[in-house]
């Protein structure tokens, strides 16, 4: 069973389109995240939700809107895609935000290519 | 501020030791981590160290922490070709489970 699963794994689309990436975790974790990894492998946090509540929102354009229908799911919707949005987007989860080690469990990533 | 820096590349011969270095800036970081990313995969936690420790050993892995200099290192003994991957250092500033990652060090192991 995959602990953190994301779909789709690959996404190729045109500039200006709107797209979504879905994430689900079956670990019973309370906290979920979206990270963006650019072509140089820099990994930056975008959002974090704890039990469906947004707790971290880094300086991400408003075109990016996360949605958490329940604590096992965190989806990412992107409006008006731009070339610079091309990256690999990783979903991750962890136990309660006060968890001792803070270990993150990552999905396999969704590679978004904007043409 | 929050910043983690690592060298980008390291090449070692199979059987040698690898040492990957990292510096971080947030002195409130309670935990520091090493994650491994293999091609086409997500990151996986290799090991972590609590900020009141100087060293942690786990089989072939040794983590050294110099809190005064905010320097973290990962030593892999007897490096194997399967160790070829990108290794990310990460700090956890006090508070939430927000991890700040370095840019990753690409380790190449050659015969």
């Amino acid at each position: 069973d995959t602990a953190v699963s994301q779909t789709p794994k690959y996404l190729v689309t045109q500039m200006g389109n709107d797209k979504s990436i879905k994430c689900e975790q079956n670990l019973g974790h309370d906290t979920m995240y979206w990270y963006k990894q650019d072509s140089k492998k820099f990994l930056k946090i975008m959002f974090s939700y704890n039990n469906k509540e947004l707790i971290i929102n880094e300086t991400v354009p408003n075109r990016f809107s996360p949605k958490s229908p329940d604590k096992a799911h965190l989806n990412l919707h992107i409006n008006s895609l731009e070339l610079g949005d091309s990256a690999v987007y990783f979903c991750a989860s962890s136990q309660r935000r006060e968890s001792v080690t803070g270990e993150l469990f990552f999905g396999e990533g969704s590679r978004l290519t904007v043409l | 501020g929050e910043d983690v820096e690592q060298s980008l590349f390291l090449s070692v011969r199979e059987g040698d030791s690898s040492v990957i270095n990292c510096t971080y800036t947030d002195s409130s970081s309670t935990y520091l981590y090493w994650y491994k990313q293999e091609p086409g995969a997500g990151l996986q936690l290799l090991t972590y160290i609590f900020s009141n420790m100087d060293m942690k050993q786990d089989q072939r892995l040794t983590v050294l922490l110099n809190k005064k200099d905010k320097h973290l290192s990962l030593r892999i003994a007897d490096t194997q070709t399967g160790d070829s991957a990108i290794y990310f250092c990460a700090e956890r500033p006090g508070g939430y489970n927000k991890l700040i990652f370095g840019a990753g060090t690409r380790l190449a192991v050659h015969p």
Side-chain angles (χ1 to χ4, degrees):
Chain A
D1 273 350
T2 305
V4 181
S5 57
Q6 309 177 215
T7 54
K9 195 166 181 180
Y10 300 96
L11 187 53
V12 180
T13 189
Q14 302 280 344
M15 269 175 54
N17 284 350
D18 304 338
K19 290 294 176 188
S20 293
I21 307 171
K22 295 186 176 184
C23 178
E24 176 182 3
Q25 54 94 3
N26 62 6
L27 298 167
H29 288 165
D30 288 328
T31 308
M32 295 185 72
Y33 311 77
W34 279 108
Y35 278 81
K36 178 181 179 182
Q37 186 177 46
D38 64 23
S39 58
K40 293 183 179 175
K41 302 298 184 185
F42 285 99
L43 196 65
K44 295 281 188 188
I45 188 167
M46 300 173 69
F47 301 102
S48 175
Y49 270 72
N50 184 70
N51 212 2
K52 302 194 295 175
E53 178 193 349
L54 179 66
I55 55 171
I56 295 174
N57 183 351
E58 296 292 299
T59 50
V60 178
N62 291 338
R63 298 182 295 103
F64 290 78
S65 51
K67 281 194 171 52
S68 182
D70 55 61
K71 73 175 193 176
H73 295 84
L74 181 61
N75 303 324
L76 183 66
H77 187 76
I78 315 170
N79 289 328
S80 303
L81 279 156
E82 299 177 358
L83 294 176
D85 298 331
S86 295
V88 181
Y89 292 85
F90 284 99
C91 178
S93 72
S94 68
Q95 288 182 324
R96 305 183 311 275
R97 58 184 175 178
E98 295 86 16
S99 84
V100 174
T101 64
E103 176 184 357
L104 298 187
F105 291 78
F106 282 85
E108 293 187 338
S110 296
R111 182 177 292 277
L112 171 66
T113 303
V114 182
L115 303 175
Chain B
E2 301 167 340
D3 198 13
V4 178
E5 294 193 356
Q6 326 176 212
S7 52
L8 295 183
F9 299 100
L10 177 65
S11 178
V12 298
R13 193 185 302 272
E14 195 174 6
D16 287 352
S17 292
S18 309
V19 179
I20 302 172
N21 293 302
C22 167
T23 56
Y24 62 98
T25 54
D26 196 322
S27 56
S28 74
S29 289
T30 50
Y31 285 89
L32 295 131
Y33 306 82
W34 285 103
Y35 279 78
K36 178 182 180 183
Q37 184 181 28
E38 296 183 352
L43 281 72
Q44 285 195 303
L45 180 69
L46 265 186
T47 187
Y48 65 89
I49 188 166
F50 187 46
S51 58
N52 70 352
M53 297 168 65
D54 298 325
M55 186 180 89
K56 181 179 180 182
Q57 187 144 7
D58 184 1
Q59 299 182 336
R60 292 191 296 123
L61 305 179
T62 304
V63 179
L64 294 178
L65 174 60
N66 181 328
K67 201 173 175 188
K68 176 176 166 287
D69 294 338
K70 299 191 187 72
H71 183 266
L72 184 73
S73 68
L74 174 70
R75 179 176 180 269
I76 306 172
D78 187 25
T79 313
Q80 303 297 309
T81 53
D83 295 324
S84 295
I86 301 176
Y87 290 81
F88 289 89
C89 170
E91 64 173 343
R92 178 189 175 195
Y96 298 117
N97 282 353
K98 168 182 164 180
L99 297 191
I100 309 299
F101 286 89
T105 299
R106 189 181 294 274
L107 175 64
V109 183
H110 56 88

